[in-house]
Amino acid sequence: MRRGDAQKTRAVKKTHLPTTYEGVLLLRPDCDDATRSGALDQFKAMFNDGLASWEQTERGLQPNAYEIKGYPDAYQVVVNFSCPPAAFKNAYEELSKPVVGQEEVILRSMFLKSA
């Protein structure tokens, strides 16, 4: 096997290993608990069974640094999860699409790779 082939093989194997991410979701403050729970369940479903682990901490209603879509406050949820990078990319792209024809529950999101 040539050296370049070995590097390609390692790169392919690496993409299937779960990566740990940490993120914050800002949800509309005027939603009820069932609507928030449904939005979080839809977000988890975007990973198509690719989640290796999931932990969420609800921080409740917190003031924003600036108004987001007319809301001075947002319901904050911190999530820590592990999944393959490809599953994260697909979910992040889906979350980035504009919502048409329905109310948007998730106002903003930010994710980082954890160490």
Side-chain angles (χ1 to χ4, degrees):
M1 181 185 295
R2 294 186 324 230
R3 182 178 177 165
D5 293 338
Q7 288 176 344
K8 288 178 187 175
T9 304
R10 273 189 247 130
V12 169
K13 288 180 182 178
K14 189 175 182 179
T15 61
H16 296 295
L17 296 175
T19 302
T20 304
Y21 299 93
E22 181 175 5
V24 176
L25 297 168
L26 302 180
L27 295 100
R28 284 186 26 215
D30 58 352
C31 291
D32 59 4
D33 291 338
T35 304
R36 278 194 292 270
S37 178
L40 290 171
D41 289 342
Q42 285 178 343
F43 175 66
K44 285 173 66 174
M46 290 180 195
F47 292 95
N48 298 325
D49 299 327
L51 288 173
S53 67
W54 176 271
E55 180 183 327
Q56 73 184 41
T57 305
E58 297 186 18
R59 296 192 60 219
L61 196 61
Q62 301 290 325
N64 296 329
Y66 53 89
E67 278 193 12
I68 299 174
K69 300 186 181 180
Y71 296 104
D73 302 321
Y75 193 88
Q76 291 185 5
V77 179
V78 177
V79 293
N80 294 295
F81 57 94
S82 297
C83 68
F88 174 75
K89 182 181 177 194
N90 292 338
Y92 189 75
E93 286 174 356
E94 188 67 29
L95 191 63
S96 299
K97 292 179 182 175
V99 176
V100 178
Q102 61 184 9
E103 289 188 35
E104 186 173 25
V105 178
I106 299 175
L107 300 174
R108 290 279 193 276
S109 61
M110 182 178 75
F111 300 97
L112 302 169
K113 281 186 183 178
S114 295

